[in-house]
Amino acid sequence: MKVQGEHYRTIWIHPDDLKVVQIIDQRDLPHRFVVEDLVTTGEVAAAIKDMHVRGAGLIGATAGYGMYLAAVTAPAQTELVAHLEAQGAELKATRPTAVNLAWAVDRQLAAVRSAAGRDEQLAAARRCADEIADEDAEFCRRLGEHGVSLIEAISKRKAGAPVNILTHCNAGWLAFVDYGSATAPIYAAFDRGIKVHVWVDETRPRNQGARLTAWELGQHGVPHTVIPDNVGGHLMQHQLVDLVITGTDRTTHTGDVGNKIGTYLKALAAKDNDVPFYVALPSSTFDWEIEDGVAEIPIEQRGGDEVRYARGWLDDQIQEVRLTPADSPAANYAFDVTPRRLITGLITERGICRADKDAIGELYPEHRR
Amino acid sequence: MKVQGEHYRTIWIHPDDLKVVQIIDQRDLPHRFVVEDLVTTGEVAAAIKDMHVRGAGLIGATAGYGMYLAAVTAPAQTELVAHLEAQGAELKATRPTAVNLAWAVDRQLAAVRSAAGRDEQLAAARRCADEIADEDAEFCRRLGEHGVSLIEAISKRKAGAPVNILTHCNAGWLAFVDYGSATAPIYAAFDRGIKVHVWVDETRPRNQGARLTAWELGQHGVPHTVIPDNVGGHLMQHQLVDLVITGTDRTTHTGDVGNKIGTYLKALAAKDNDVPFYVALPSSTFDWEIEDGVAEIPIEQRGGDEVRYARGWLDDQIQEVRLTPADSPAANYAFDVTPRRLITGLITERGICRADKDAIGELYPEHRR
């Protein structure tokens, strides 16, 4: 998508130097736009661990390019596959719960193992890294093509008046390689000239909405308004939201959606006000094992200081202010689970379906159990 | 309630100087505890307007003492009632939507008008100011006595394990003269030795929960945990909330509750998880005219910068950091309305009742229409 009028992905090989991978350091957004050079697998591991990059799709792509750099920088005398296995283990350890990370590392190992001779192996690693990234972008593009039909229909019903879409957290192109999941239908609609306006939940405590979603929508020129997480229900009561689209961190094959904390509250409000509530996901986010999301999806608890402090821009630098009394504890549950009964449908790269086992199984018969 | 082990109200006459009224300047909480002297009606007006004090009950009490100071400081040659009428008009203009403000000013005017002679009038103004404050404290104390029965019953059912109560915004003693509304049953339970733990919604964008409710609970020794506004639904799904109690800014005589933005989302989650949802209010907060809260209660919109910035403690002073991109707009709806169908009951100074016209009318027959 666009940054200052120019097209960017979230990760790419340096155009003038094949041994350098470049990323947008997301820690500084929206206050500073910093492109970072990564040269070693260690630097890639640190970028994932310290969240210069985040989001399921982008973590996978970064791991893919990390393995590519591991191959490029391997000492001439080492056996490449053994070297990549060791570096891959290091990458996998950075964020052990990220499904796409292990998947990307293993895909790289398989690609390099199946190639013969060092030059072939290096070429395979590069090809595989690009494939992982391209596939992520393509899946997001396709789900955007499917999802845009929902926005188009509402736009027609409203005789071209802006379609108001509410989203939570950042399920934008910054969380993937391009397009994003929840944002893909929105960008597709905007690029076709359909009038849209996005209500951006700020998404406390880490403010991925206020920081990242607002920034990427603004850079692409999409009209949007940042709101506190408390506001969505009121907006829906007063017909100011036509459609909710969120992303997901893990969706059970039965249709329950694990996503950023607070998603469940918005789904309740959507149900209460007959507002369609959709979840957008590339199929890599499906969990084909778990049956009951609320009971079985583990919910990460993070440090309380993310709640006790707010991080932002002051005096030309990023600083933190304490919001609470010095001795008040805080709890920080990172995700919640929205039961399928509150979800109107899922937007995937293969089409839109109901959030239930049968409909998901029909779209992905190879996973049906 | 207690501050650093000592009993405080939110407003009082200086113990050594009858011509001085003292308040806690709430703008600096929880970071600094500042007691401010008010001597003139102009200072009182500024304290209300600039929100050194806030909250329905406290605004009324402050206006009452403001009129007392107007009487005390009136030049000897002026006609006191005319002087107070002029000063009262100035006070009323500070926050025109605050119902209790106009009510307190008019009550003072009536009290002074009914007294004969200057000394009598001065005594009447002082008596009336104290009465308004005492009545506010007494109504809150009584609703605490009624509400504590709910907590006691849950405590028994849980065999003495801590009762987890979720609250939103600050409906604490800082919003009244003492005890608070939503907090009154909690303080009553704590003081009786019933084990309680309070989940404190931080309440973006102005963070009255993280700043004020957390501070007053901490000062009184009540166990509590600050949470982002996104978290309550998840907690309720996992049986971590036994009871929700909020305050209200305006409750229709039909049972709809206008309160801080985000209250509606918590009420939806409570309903979805069979968690009792109560609203605590002294009867001064009832609106005896309006029938349909969602359609008729006007919702104040405040400046977007309260959303775009977070205010907190850094380098020994209160500072603000910007959270959003420099050019992203923000919307700031201050209140929402929770429909009566989501409310288990109302806790008033006369007892607990269902949130509907008949039950409210039975408790307040003098207002029944």
Side-chain angles (χ1 to χ4, degrees):
Chain A
M1 305 310 300
K2 284 193 193 133
V3 179
Q4 292 153 14
E6 220 175 299
H7 180 263
Y8 275 87
R9 281 184 167 188
T10 49
I11 189 164
W12 62 92
I13 293 177
H14 194 297
D16 304 321
D17 186 348
L18 285 178
K19 292 184 171 178
V20 177
V21 168
Q22 298 191 294
I23 59 167
I24 301 167
D25 186 346
Q26 300 191 16
R27 294 172 306 170
D28 288 357
L29 288 176
H31 309 297
R32 276 189 295 239
F33 180 69
V34 177
V35 170
E36 185 182 0
D37 288 352
L38 303 175
V39 175
T40 68
T41 320
E43 287 171 5
V44 171
I48 296 172
K49 196 181 173 69
D50 302 337
M51 298 178 76
H52 308 206
V53 293
R54 24 65 61 195
L58 179 52
I59 286 175
T62 307
Y65 282 112
M67 293 293 279
Y68 161 69
L69 286 179
V72 167
T73 57
Q77 69 280 13
T78 57
E79 201 281 303
L80 201 59
V81 170
H83 179 73
L84 289 185
E85 281 168 353
Q87 301 274 289
E90 189 191 323
L91 283 172
K92 280 187 187 179
T94 52
R95 295 196 69 188
T97 51
V99 175
N100 293 53
L101 204 168
W103 168 84
V105 167
D106 292 339
R107 181 160 162 178
Q108 272 284 21
L109 287 174
V112 173
R113 279 192 198 111
S114 70
R118 194 148 186 128
D119 285 352
E120 269 300 293
Q121 288 175 323
L122 280 173
R126 172 153 186 209
R127 208 162 43 236
C128 182
D130 284 341
E131 273 169 16
I132 291 171
D134 289 347
E135 198 175 286
D136 183 82
E138 175 59 15
F139 275 26
C140 285
R141 191 193 66 76
R142 273 192 231 163
L143 79 81
E145 292 300 308
H146 292 297
V148 75
S149 62
L150 300 169
I151 300 173
E152 209 157 21
I154 296 168
S155 174
K156 272 186 193 149
R157 208 180 62 222
K158 292 183 78 175
V163 178
N164 289 302
I165 302 159
L166 185 143
T167 191
H168 191 68
C169 196
N170 176 258
W173 70 273
L174 289 171
F176 293 87
V177 172
D178 209 347
Y179 305 106
S181 57
T183 54
I186 297 169
Y187 288 128
F190 178 81
D191 289 346
R192 290 181 192 188
I194 298 169
K195 279 192 191 149
V196 292
H197 165 261
V198 184
W199 295 110
V200 178
D201 272 358
E202 65 171 343
T203 319
R204 280 279 293 155
R206 289 179 63 90
N207 289 340
Q208 293 94 333
R211 293 197 304 111
L212 303 177
T213 306
W215 180 81
E216 63 169 75
L217 290 173
Q219 288 294 328
H220 200 75
V222 180
H224 64 281
T225 305
V226 178
I227 48 173
D229 302 307
N230 284 321
V231 174
H234 170 74
L235 295 178
M236 293 188 218
Q237 277 180 320
H238 292 270
Q239 291 79 51
L240 294 167
V241 180
D242 297 305
L243 176 66
V244 181
I245 312 179
T246 76
T248 167
D249 292 88
R250 193 195 295 214
T251 291
T252 68
H253 66 108
T254 57
D256 295 334
V257 167
N259 192 41
K260 183 61 53 194
I261 189 78
T263 304
Y264 167 53
L265 293 171
K266 294 301 139 62
L268 285 168
K271 188 77 168 183
D272 201 44
N273 294 285
D274 289 324
V275 174
F277 185 97
Y278 282 87
V279 176
L281 69 161
S283 54
S284 56
T285 314
F286 277 117
D287 182 319
W288 302 103
E289 305 295 325
I290 282 179
E291 295 275 329
D292 179 343
V294 176
E296 296 179 76
I297 295 179
I299 302 298
E300 177 187 348
Q301 286 194 56
R302 301 177 56 86
D305 276 354
E306 287 183 358
V307 178
R308 292 161 30 81
Y309 290 80
R311 192 179 151 83
W313 194 244
L314 174 67
D315 295 336
D316 286 325
Q317 54 184 315
I318 291 170
Q319 301 199 59
E320 285 188 347
V321 295
R322 178 161 51 75
L323 306 173
T324 63
D327 49 3
S328 283
N332 188 5
Y333 297 82
F335 305 99
D336 65 19
V337 177
T338 300
R340 67 197 75 131
R341 65 186 152 84
L342 302 176
I343 297 166
T344 312
L346 306 177
I347 308 170
T348 78
E349 77 278 1
R350 291 197 190 163
I352 298 174
C353 71
R354 291 193 319 279
D356 68 41
K357 202 170 180 166
D358 290 346
I360 295 167
E362 220 165 279
L363 219 49
Y364 293 91
E366 70 273 32
H367 290 289
R368 200 187 279 162
R369 292 143 55 107
Chain B
M1 306 310 299
K2 284 191 192 136
V3 179
Q4 292 152 16
E6 221 176 298
H7 180 262
Y8 276 87
R9 282 185 167 187
T10 48
I11 189 164
W12 62 92
I13 293 177
H14 193 297
D16 304 322
D17 187 348
L18 285 180
K19 292 184 171 178
V20 177
V21 169
Q22 297 191 295
I23 59 166
I24 300 167
D25 186 345
Q26 300 191 16
R27 294 172 305 170
D28 288 356
L29 288 177
H31 309 296
R32 277 188 296 239
F33 180 70
V34 176
V35 170
E36 185 181 1
D37 288 354
L38 303 175
V39 176
T40 67
T41 321
E43 286 171 5
V44 172
I48 297 173
K49 196 181 172 67
D50 302 336
M51 298 179 76
H52 308 207
V53 294
R54 22 68 59 195
L58 178 52
I59 286 176
T62 306
Y65 282 112
M67 294 293 280
Y68 161 70
L69 286 179
V72 168
T73 57
Q77 69 280 13
T78 57
E79 201 282 302
L80 201 59
V81 170
H83 178 74
L84 289 186
E85 282 169 352
Q87 302 274 290
E90 190 191 323
L91 283 172
K92 280 187 187 178
T94 52
R95 294 195 69 188
T97 52
V99 175
N100 294 53
L101 205 168
W103 168 84
V105 167
D106 292 340
R107 182 161 162 177
Q108 273 283 22
L109 288 173
V112 173
R113 279 192 198 111
S114 70
R118 191 143 188 132
D119 286 351
E120 269 301 293
Q121 289 176 323
L122 280 174
R126 170 150 188 211
R127 207 162 44 235
C128 181
D130 284 341
E131 273 170 16
I132 291 171
D134 290 346
E135 198 174 286
D136 183 81
E138 175 60 14
F139 275 26
C140 285
R141 191 194 65 76
R142 274 192 230 162
L143 78 82
E145 292 300 308
H146 292 297
V148 75
S149 62
L150 300 170
I151 300 174
E152 211 159 18
I154 296 168
S155 174
K156 274 186 193 148
R157 209 180 61 223
K158 292 183 78 176
V163 178
N164 289 301
I165 302 159
L166 185 143
T167 192
H168 191 68
C169 196
N170 176 258
W173 69 274
L174 289 171
F176 293 87
V177 172
D178 209 347
Y179 305 105
S181 57
T183 54
I186 297 169
Y187 288 127
F190 178 81
D191 289 347
R192 289 180 191 188
I194 298 170
K195 280 193 191 148
V196 293
H197 166 260
V198 183
W199 296 110
V200 179
D201 272 359
E202 66 171 344
T203 318
R204 282 278 292 154
R206 288 179 63 87
N207 289 338
Q208 293 95 333
R211 294 197 304 112
L212 304 177
T213 305
W215 180 81
E216 63 169 79
L217 291 173
Q219 288 294 328
H220 200 75
V222 180
H224 65 282
T225 305
V226 178
I227 50 173
D229 302 307
N230 283 322
V231 174
H234 170 75
L235 295 177
M236 293 188 217
Q237 277 180 320
H238 292 270
Q239 291 78 49
L240 295 167
V241 180
D242 297 305
L243 177 65
V244 182
I245 312 180
T246 75
T248 167
D249 292 89
R250 191 196 294 213
T251 291
T252 67
H253 66 109
T254 56
D256 295 334
V257 168
N259 192 40
K260 183 60 54 195
I261 189 79
T263 304
Y264 167 53
L265 293 171
K266 295 300 139 63
L268 285 167
K271 188 76 168 184
D272 200 44
N273 294 285
D274 289 324
V275 174
F277 185 98
Y278 283 87
V279 176
L281 69 163
S283 55
S284 56
T285 314
F286 278 116
D287 181 319
W288 302 103
E289 304 296 325
I290 281 179
E291 295 274 330
D292 179 342
V294 176
E296 296 178 76
I297 295 179
I299 302 299
E300 177 188 349
Q301 287 194 57
R302 302 177 56 86
D305 276 354
E306 287 183 358
V307 178
R308 293 164 27 84
Y309 290 80
R311 195 178 149 82
W313 194 244
L314 173 69
D315 296 336
D316 287 325
Q317 55 184 314
I318 291 169
Q319 301 199 59
E320 285 189 346
V321 296
R322 178 162 51 76
L323 306 173
T324 63
D327 49 3
S328 283
N332 188 6
Y333 298 82
F335 305 100
D336 64 20
V337 177
T338 300
R340 66 196 74 130
R341 66 186 151 85
L342 302 176
I343 298 166
T344 312
L346 306 176
I347 308 170
T348 78
E349 78 276 3
R350 291 195 190 165
I352 297 174
C353 72
R354 291 194 318 281
D356 68 43
K357 201 169 181 168
D358 290 346
I360 294 167
E362 221 165 278
L363 219 50
Y364 294 92
E366 71 274 30
H367 289 288
R368 201 184 281 162
R369 292 141 56 106

